[in-house]
């Protein structure tokens, strides 16, 4: 079974509108971390936001917020007031475990959502 | 500036010709790993290293080798590249205990094997 599922291969949003990118995850660990990365057409991976499994508040970073629903195992990214520069591929990723031993620092990625912001 | 440096950025090679993609980090991170990115598959881990001389397979290790002789360097070796290894490759590093923005990715290496 996929550990990270992104069900939206592509999305369109109008400039200045908000958009939600979906991400669900599967893990039996109690301690884990959830990440969102942005990949523009130039190819680099840009870190956007992080949510720890024990964090009670949803993470926010500027126009980005992570809607963390632990019971539903979802970690949706919300981008408010979309800009043309937000057009990119977005990846949800998970680190299982606290990152102490073995492969615990491994990031498991979803298949990505291609976001296109239109005028 | 804290960074992970990968070289080359772009590489076109022929089937069977050995190649090495270099990765170097200047943050004294213990953990380093290689990922490949393919359309519709996201990023998948190839190999990782917890520290010097400690390496292990990730999810898709076939056809690749790595070494970790120094803490800062983690080269990816393709002994006999094949067209199915055409992909975008990323090196990443992090401290052993990490969360949040603890991961640093290289800029990527776009490899084409013909």
């Amino acid at each position: 079974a996929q550990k990270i599922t992104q069900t939206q291969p592509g999305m369109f949003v109008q400039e200045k509108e908000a958009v939600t990118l979906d991400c669900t995850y599967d893990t039996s660990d109690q301690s884990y971390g959830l990440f969102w990365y942005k990949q523009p057409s130039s190819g680099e991976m840009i870190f956007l936001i992080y949510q720890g499994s024990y964090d009670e508040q949803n993470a926010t970073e500027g126009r980005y917020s992570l809607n963390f629903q632990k019971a539903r195992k979802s970690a949706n990214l919300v981008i408010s007031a979309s800009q043309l520069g937000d057009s990119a591929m977005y990846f949800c990723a998970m680190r299982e475990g606290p990152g102490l031993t073995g492969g615990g620092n491994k990031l498991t990625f979803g298949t990505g959502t291609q976001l296109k912001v239109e005028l | 500036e804290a960074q992970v440096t990968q070289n080359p950025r772009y590489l076109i090679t022929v089937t069977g010709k050995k190649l090495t993609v270099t990765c170097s980090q200047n943050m004294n991170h213990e953990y380093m790993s290689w990922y490949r990115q393919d359309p519709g598959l996201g990023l998948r881990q190839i190999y990782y290293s917890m520290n010097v001389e400690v390496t292990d397979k990730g999810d898709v290790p076939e056809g690749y080798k790595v070494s970790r002789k120094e803490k800062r360097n983690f080269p990816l070796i393709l002994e006999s590249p094949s067209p199915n290894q055409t992909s975008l490759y990323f090196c990443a590093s992090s401290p052993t205990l990490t969360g949040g923005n603890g991961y640093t990715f290289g800029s990527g290496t776009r490899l084409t094997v013909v």
Side-chain angles (χ1 to χ4, degrees), chain B residues 64-94:
Chain B
Y64 304 95
K65 285 175 59 177
V66 293
S67 67
R68 187 94 181 269
K69 294 184 170 57
E70 302 169 285
K71 197 171 187 178
R72 61 182 172 181
N73 294 326
F74 190 46
L76 180 69
I77 302 157
L78 285 73
E79 294 265 358
S80 183
S82 62
N84 65 12
Q85 293 178 297
T86 293
S87 188
L88 177 59
Y89 292 86
F90 287 99
C91 180
S93 75
S94 70

Side-chain angles (χ1 to χ4, degrees), chain A residues 86-107:
Chain A
D86 293 333
S87 294
M89 179 72 86
Y90 288 81
F91 289 101
C92 180
M94 175 174 66
R95 184 205 70 240
E96 291 175 280
L100 288 172
T101 59
N105 285 41
K106 171 187 170 183
L107 289 176

Side-chain angles (χ1 to χ4, degrees), chain B residues 12-106:
Chain B
I12 301 174
T13 190
V14 296
T15 299
K17 186 176 181 182
K18 181 179 178 180
L19 66 92
T20 299
V21 184
T22 63
C23 174
S24 181
Q25 50 98 359
N26 62 1
M27 296 160 284
N28 204 36
H29 286 167
E30 296 86 8
Y31 186 90
M32 297 184 75
S33 60
W34 278 101
Y35 293 85
R36 63 176 287 173
Q37 180 183 349
D38 302 291
L41 296 176
L43 282 77
R44 296 175 292 166
Q45 191 183 58
I46 303 170
Y47 268 95
Y48 68 93
S49 169
M50 293 298 293
N51 215 323
V52 176
E53 302 293 0
V54 181
T55 63
D56 207 348
K57 297 176 181 178
D59 297 320
V60 287
E62 294 77 22
Y64 304 95
K65 285 175 59 177
V66 293
S67 67
R68 187 94 181 269
K69 294 184 170 57
E70 302 169 285
K71 197 171 187 178
R72 61 182 172 181
N73 294 326
F74 190 46
L76 180 69
I77 302 157
L78 285 73
E79 294 265 358
S80 183
S82 62
N84 65 12
Q85 293 178 297
T86 293
S87 188
L88 177 59
Y89 292 86
F90 287 99
C91 180
S93 75
S94 70
T96 299
L97 296 177
T98 189
N101 195 17
Y103 295 85
T104 303
F105 280 82

